Amino acid sequence: MPEKRWLSIYFVCCSASLSLFSSLRHAWFQSNAWDLGIFDQAIYLISQGQTPISTFLNFHILGDHAAFALYPIGLIYRAIPSTYLLLVIQSIAIASCIFPLHKFANSKRLNPRSKKITILFFMLFPIIFNLSIFDFHPEAIAMPILTSLACELEQKDIRPGKVILLAFLSLTCKITISILIAGFGAREWFKNRKTIGSLLMILGTAWFALASKLIIPFYGGPSASLARHAKKFGLDYDSIFDLSSIPENIKALSTQLLTTSNLEYLVLLIAPAFFIFLVKKPKRTAIRLIPFFPLLTINLLSTSLSMKSLVFQYSVFLVPLLAIETTYFLQENGSRLSFISKASAHRMVIITSLVGFVALSRITFFFNQYQTNFPTINELNVAIRLVNEESSVLTSSIIAPHLSKRKDIRVSDVENSLDISNYDEILLDTARPGWKSNSDIVDSIYSRAHESDKWEMAYHKKSIFLWRKLENQQ
C-alpha cells in the first residue's frame, strides 16, 4: 500500500477513535465544567459575537490562558454549534501530529515499518489518549504546530521564517507554551545555533511577559492573576510575588523536589519510552529533551498531583520530543555497529507502547468508572432538553458542559448557591452532587426551592430534579 494512503487511513482511524471515546465520555456525563464547560461556553459566546465571559471563572476567557486560538474555533462553532465539535477538533488536532512525525522519519530514511512504529508510539503514549478524552484544552490545538516545530529544528538546514511562524502560532493557544518555546531557544543556543536560539528565547520570554503582565490582567482582572495558581505550589496567594518572601518561597519549593510523588512521576514519564536512552550517545538524547526541562521543573515543584501524572495535560508537550527520539532509536539500532537488532528494536517499542497504553491510559475506565452515571443517564437527558435556552442555570459540574451554550451558568458550589433567586432554572442530581459541591449544598438548595412559592418543580425522576422559577418572579 502506498505510504500516503496508509498514512491517510491511519489518520482517519485515529481521529475517529479519539473522537468516539471523547464523545462517549461526554455523553456518559463524565466531562466537567472544568474544563469543557468553560471553553464550550466561551467559544459559544464568541460564535454569537458576544463577549466571552466565562461565568464559571467570572472573567473573560482571554484572562485564563491568553488563548487567542479560541476565536477561529468560534467561527467553525457558529456553523456547527455543538460541544461534540470541540471534541472532534481536539481529536483531529492530536491525530494530525502523525504527519510531521512521518515527514521527519522520512528525512532520517527509516524503512516503512519503522515509520509506522514511530507513529504508533506517539498515538499509544498514555497522555495522548488521556488528553484527547479529558474535556477540551487549547494546548491540544497547539500539538501539531509544536510537533512540526520540533521536527523542523531537528533538520540540518532549518528555515528561520517557518520556525518563528510555528512558534508564534503555538503561543496563541496557551501562555505556558511560551516556556516551551524559550526552552527550544535555549537548546538551539546550546547547539551553537545562536541566531534562531536567541529569537526563540526572546519570543517566548516576550510573550510570557506580555500575556502575564498585560493581556491576562486586562481581560481577567485581579481574579485572573497568575498568583491564583499559588496553591498548586503550596504557596500563599498574597506572598508568591512578594520580594520579601522570595527566600521563604524558594525554601518551600526546594523541599518539594525530593518527594516520592516526584520519583513516581519521573518513572511514569520515562517507563513508556525507556528505550530512547539505549543508544550510543545518550547525552545527545538528553540535550534534545532540553525544551521540556523548564515545564518539567514546574511540574516537579508543584504540590498538585494532577501536574505529576499522565492523566492530565501538563506533560503532553514532552511526547513529540519522545517520538522524535524514538525515530533516532529506530534509525540507529539495526545498523552494523548497534548492539540491538532492528527486529528487537521494533519489538521493544511496540511491546513497551502497548503495555504502557493499557496500564497508564484511561481506556479501561470505559468498562467501569465511566459508567457511574448510567442509572440516571436517560433522566438527565430528558431534564436537559426541558431547560430553556435563555435561562440562567445553576447545576452540577457534570451537567454543566451539556448546558453551557448560554450567557449565565454556574456550578452549585457554596458561593453560587447562596442566593438561588439569581437563577431561572436549577438542575441537580441529588445522588451525585459533582465536583465543588456536596450533599449538604444540594440538600440546602432542594429545601429552599421546595419550600419557596417562587419555584415550581418542572421535572423529577429518580434523583434528578429540575426547578423553574415562576414567570411572575423572573
Side-chain angles (χ1 to χ4, degrees):
M1 184 185 295
E3 282 196 12
K4 285 187 178 180
R5 187 176 179 185
W6 72 252
L7 189 64
S8 299
I9 292 173
Y10 195 78
F11 166 70
V12 171
C13 290
C14 289
S15 298
S17 298
L18 295 179
S19 297
L20 172 64
F21 282 109
S22 59
S23 297
L24 276 178
R25 182 178 177 273
H26 177 57
W28 291 356
F29 290 89
Q30 295 297 328
S31 56
N32 254 282
W34 273 259
D35 294 309
L36 184 56
I38 290 172
F39 291 112
D40 187 55
Q41 182 189 30
I43 292 171
Y44 165 75
L45 293 173
I46 290 171
S47 73
Q48 299 301 304
Q50 301 180 37
T51 305
I53 294 176
S54 167
T55 49
F56 299 111
L57 298 172
N58 287 319
F59 52 75
H60 195 290
I61 196 62
L62 289 180
D64 189 21
H65 299 301
F68 288 92
L70 299 178
Y71 279 81
I73 296 175
L75 297 177
I76 306 172
Y77 201 97
R78 185 174 181 84
I80 310 174
S82 171
T83 308
Y84 292 98
L85 172 69
L86 301 185
L87 302 177
V88 171
I89 289 175
Q90 178 168 261
S91 299
I92 291 173
I94 292 172
S96 64
C97 293
I98 70 174
F99 293 111
L101 288 174
H102 178 263
K103 184 178 179 181
F104 175 69
N106 262 337
S107 71
K108 297 303 173 183
R109 293 181 169 81
L110 262 63
N111 61 38
R113 180 171 170 79
S114 295
K115 294 173 191 174
K116 292 176 182 177
I117 291 173
T118 297
I119 292 171
L120 182 73
F121 166 82
F122 177 85
M123 293 306 302
L124 288 182
F125 200 87
I127 199 172
I128 293 298
F129 180 80
N130 294 339
L131 171 67
S132 70
I133 66 168
F134 177 48
D135 292 5
F136 175 85
H137 297 90
E139 53 263 56
I141 308 303
M143 282 295 289
I145 305 171
L146 288 168
T147 304
S148 298
L149 173 62
C151 291
E152 176 67 21
L153 288 172
E154 288 302 314
Q155 303 301 326
K156 186 176 181 180
D157 298 315
I158 61 172
R159 291 171 284 181
K162 181 180 179 181
V163 168
I164 297 301
L165 176 61
L166 290 171
F168 178 76
L169 290 175
S170 68
L171 289 170
T172 64
C173 296
K174 193 174 183 179
I175 182 176
T176 50
I177 293 175
S178 61
I179 301 173
L180 184 71
I181 297 302
F184 274 117
R187 185 191 68 182
E188 296 308 300
W189 177 276
F190 185 79
K191 290 165 59 178
N192 211 29
R193 288 176 169 176
K194 290 190 166 33
T195 301
I196 194 65
S198 298
L199 288 173
L200 289 174
M201 283 193 287
I202 291 170
L203 181 60
T205 305
W207 184 261
F208 184 86
L210 178 66
S212 62
K213 297 297 184 182
L214 184 61
I215 298 172
I216 289 176
F218 178 80
Y219 285 101
S223 57
S225 167
L226 293 185
R228 66 192 168 106
H229 299 292
K231 287 185 178 179
K232 292 181 180 179
F233 300 91
L235 302 177
D236 185 68
Y237 176 91
D238 296 320
S239 66
I240 186 171
F241 295 127
D242 184 4
L243 294 178
S244 63
S245 301
I246 288 178
E248 182 183 345
N249 289 341
I250 291 175
K251 182 179 179 181
L253 290 172
S254 61
T255 59
Q256 291 161 194
L257 277 174
L258 300 176
T259 61
T260 305
S261 60
N262 278 347
L263 179 61
E264 292 173 351
Y265 171 52
L266 291 173
V267 171
L268 287 174
L269 282 180
I270 296 170
F274 75 93
F275 49 81
I276 66 173
F277 293 102
L278 301 180
V279 290
K280 283 178 280 188
K281 297 181 179 179
K283 182 180 177 181
R284 289 185 179 179
T285 297
I287 290 173
R288 287 193 289 262
L289 296 177
I290 283 176
F292 184 69
F293 288 174
L295 289 176
L296 176 63
T297 303
I298 291 172
N299 293 344
L300 291 172
L301 290 172
S302 172
T303 56
S304 172
L305 293 180
S306 63
M307 295 180 69
K308 307 174 192 289
S309 77
L310 301 190
V311 174
F312 303 97
Q313 70 274 18
Y314 301 101
S315 302
V316 73
F317 298 138
L318 175 63
V319 187
L321 300 179
L322 293 178
I324 287 171
E325 292 311 310
T326 302
T327 302
Y328 283 120
F329 171 75
L330 294 174
Q331 179 192 39
E332 177 178 315
N333 289 290
S335 65
R336 288 186 303 165
L337 299 177
S338 67
F339 60 91
I340 301 175
S341 69
K342 190 168 289 295
S344 296
H346 287 170
R347 283 195 297 269
M348 191 179 294
V349 177
I350 293 171
I351 293 172
T352 304
S353 298
L354 288 172
V355 171
F357 180 78
V358 173
L360 300 173
S361 79
R362 291 204 161 184
I363 185 72
T364 57
F365 278 44
F366 287 89
F367 304 102
N368 189 1
Q369 290 94 324
Y370 285 164
Q371 298 183 13
T372 54
N373 291 314
F374 275 17
T376 55
I377 196 167
N378 292 328
E379 290 74 20
L380 279 168
N381 283 315
V382 170
I384 286 168
R385 287 194 291 269
L386 294 174
V387 177
N388 191 298
E389 292 181 357
E390 302 299 322
S391 290
S392 171
V393 176
L394 179 68
T395 190
S396 71
S397 62
I398 61 169
I399 301 174
H402 298 262
L403 289 169
S404 46
K405 285 183 276 296
R406 63 191 66 244
K407 287 191 70 172
D408 188 16
I409 178 170
R410 299 175 191 269
V411 168
S412 53
D413 59 15
V414 173
E415 183 179 352
N416 291 331
S417 62
L418 288 175
D419 186 0
I420 61 174
S421 65
N422 292 328
Y423 310 100
D424 301 319
E425 299 186 58
I426 301 172
L427 175 57
L428 297 173
D429 182 348
T430 56
R432 300 168 189 82
W435 186 60
K436 299 193 77 173
S437 188
N438 56 54
S439 57
D440 291 337
I441 294 174
V442 170
D443 290 343
S444 173
I445 295 172
Y446 176 90
S447 298
R448 282 178 282 162
H450 184 69
E451 295 170 4
S452 174
D453 58 0
K454 298 178 181 179
W455 293 88
E456 64 174 351
M457 189 175 293
Y459 179 82
H460 169 219
K461 197 166 184 180
K462 294 184 180 179
S463 58
I464 308 303
F465 293 85
L466 173 62
W467 288 276
R468 184 174 292 131
K469 188 186 291 184
L470 296 174
E471 290 186 11
N472 59 351
Q473 300 296 328
Q474 294 183 7

